[in-house]
Amino acid sequence: MKKALPVGIENFEDMRTNGYYYVDKTLFIKELLELKGKVNLFTRPRRFGKTLNLSMLRYFFEDTGDAGKNAQNKSLFQGLKIMEEGESYTRFMGQFPVMNLTLKSAKQEDFETAYYMIQKGIAVEFERHRGVVEQGKAKLAMKDYEGYLSIAEERAEEKEIRNSLLLFSRCMYQVTGKNTVILLDEYDVPLENAYFRGFYDKMVDFIRSLFESVLKTNDYLQFAVLTGCLRISRESIFTGLNHLKIVSVLDKKYSEHFGFTGPEVLQMMEYYGVGSRFSTMKEWYDGYVFGDTEVYNPWSAINFTSDLWADGNAFPRPYWVNTSSNDIIREMAARAGREAMGQIERLLDGGTLDIQVHGEITYGDMHSNGENLWNFLYFTGYLTKESEYFKESTVCLRARIPNIEVKTIYQSTIMGLLKDRIKKENFHSLYRAMEEGDAVRMGEILTGQLFHTISFYDSAENFYHGFLAGILSQSENYTVKSNRESGNGRSDIMVKSPSLRGRSFILELKVSGSIDSLEEDAEKALQQIYDKKYMEELQAEGYKKIDCYGVAFYRKDCEVRFGNRQCVP
């Protein structure tokens, strides 16, 4: 029987004891021990294995205070790469108290709820180690012991929570004589959420206090590992933390430990007998470059392999879209001026964009200039590195959209914004022009709308069809029927009055290959209505007044042709 695919499995013990397929990333431990970073921040996009890797670190390094449990944890690593590296690495197994805290639950609607979720997560970790504290109670000052219980039992005030991680490591040292390993997962989730929810400054102040107490001058810290998407400015969060090592997607160190490499993906697919679909996997989910290593999105690779295992002909889907916040894309598209719109369109058309890398940024800086926005998109996985170069003492990137999956996220987000904007506008002049047979005016109005819209051309027919159908559907006097999905010899769009005595319209769309063929293609679209007798469907319903339009698009230009004869038998 094949091993189960670990869709959504983020706990290392669960992964290993329940027989899931595991892509071995344990050499991350070796590199961490060799480079000896005191406080290490790893920035990677969402769903690239950060939580699972931190869980792996916990089970490797943690001294649970129970010899049997420590032996059980050690057995989780049997047969994995780290065990082949020798005693100089394995001697660290089960040696330290470990605080393993995730902040991803802090994505809440207000500060109070977000704070509560962080406090709850801290309390869970305090309670998990409570047995160790109770056994060594005599070694603790009464104030520390009572403070520890207050946090574990969720009775502590905010000022105590701000100092809680330092208290934890001090108590652990006093009881066990060992320094603590601190693992903080998704440290920037509370900050990103707070930025978009409107309580950013309050959350920054809290997170800064929480981190400073444990990471800055903590004599009881063995080492710390933090993960997140973004490199938040030291002035914002890591004030005075001079020993912080930031490892971003630009760094060659640790480049293979987050995400799957090509050989790892192919090996997984061949294990499940679906290796023949590797080219599709590569088109949709490959394309990221961390350091010099080409990386696949592991979440999507696992999900697509799972679907293929069930059905070898399964279609790829944008699995990442529902697991990663697209607020940044949406806000970028909503605020885009003419220059930014052109840059987005170039990227969607398969082009590249040269950007200057900003080492440290804050959410408040996102829209201060275009470079900051592109940096946000790069570090969060919506862009990747085509190449890297050095210019005037600055690192620069030639960036592109990584793959088809991410491109669909841009496109669906942009179409969603387009629909929202269309709903707010008045298109009475367009409907009047259509009723009066004024093709020139229709073309002018549609062209004007395109000038203010981010367009994409690799799937241009779908874009223009959605664009035009969305505008026409705003009329209170007509219903719109889109036939693009059905095909079968039907026109692209039908617009009709609820009353059979009222007006009805047929619109056929063409996408031109050049500006010079725009008028000819509009004529061809109109002629196609007559040649294929698209009007017969409306006639069969009982409509008598049927007007026909051929519409051609080329990028931001539109040409409309009105039938000089009514579409009647």
Side-chain angles (χ1 to χ4, degrees), residues 511-540:
V511 178
S512 298
S514 69
I515 190 69
D516 295 331
S517 60
L518 201 58
E519 295 180 4
E520 180 184 351
D521 288 335
E523 293 284 359
K524 287 180 179 178
L526 180 62
Q527 189 61 42
Q528 184 173 321
I529 297 174
Y530 301 135
D531 293 344
K532 296 194 175 183
K533 300 180 180 180
Y534 289 152
M535 71 290 293
E536 290 181 351
E537 181 177 341
L538 289 173
Q539 291 167 353

Side-chain angles (χ1 to χ4, degrees), residues 34-52:
E34 289 175 343
L35 295 179
K36 293 180 170 58
K38 191 71 171 179
V39 180
N40 310 271
L41 169 60
F42 294 91
T43 61
R44 293 293 188 273
R46 305 270 181 245
R47 288 293 187 176
F48 268 73
K50 299 187 296 295
T51 301
L52 180 59

Side-chain angles (χ1 to χ4, degrees), residues 9-20 52 55-56 58-59 69 72-73 75-77:
I9 304 301
E10 296 181 321
N11 180 275
F12 185 74
E13 182 180 39
D14 186 8
M15 178 80 73
R16 297 292 289 162
T17 58
N18 291 312
Y20 289 101
L52 180 59
S55 178
M56 175 186 70
R58 170 195 157 185
Y59 285 102
K69 180 60 177 173
Q72 184 179 331
N73 285 352
S75 70
L76 300 176
F77 293 86

Side-chain angles (χ1 to χ4, degrees), residues 76-129:
L76 300 176
F77 293 86
Q78 293 306 311
L80 299 180
K81 294 176 182 177
I82 188 62
M83 302 305 288
E84 300 171 3
E85 296 301 316
E87 197 268 340
S88 58
Y89 300 98
T90 58
R91 65 187 177 90
F92 290 98
M93 298 181 79
Q95 291 300 306
F96 308 104
V98 175
M99 161 68 75
N100 186 20
L101 176 66
T102 179
L103 301 185
K104 64 176 64 176
S105 62
K107 191 173 184 179
Q108 303 295 332
E109 64 274 11
D110 53 47
F111 175 80
E112 289 72 25
T113 309
Y115 166 78
Y116 171 77
M117 296 306 294
I118 295 172
Q119 178 192 31
K120 185 81 173 177
I122 293 171
V124 167
E125 280 297 282
F126 270 64
E127 185 64 32
R128 189 168 71 85
H129 293 81

Side-chain angles (χ1 to χ4, degrees), residues 99 115 118-119 122-123 126 142-168 170 206 209-211 213-214:
M99 161 68 75
Y115 166 78
I118 295 172
Q119 178 192 31
I122 293 171
F126 270 64
M142 184 55 65
K143 182 179 180 181
D144 283 350
Y145 174 71
E146 291 177 349
Y148 191 100
L149 295 188
S150 176
I151 293 170
E153 295 170 0
E154 299 180 47
R155 297 182 285 104
E157 297 179 0
E158 182 180 326
K159 61 184 179 181
E160 295 174 279
I161 297 298
R162 287 174 180 248
N163 195 53
S164 59
L165 303 188
L166 175 59
L167 173 64
F168 178 89
R170 184 169 67 242
F206 172 69
S209 295
L210 185 69
F211 286 4
S213 66
V214 70

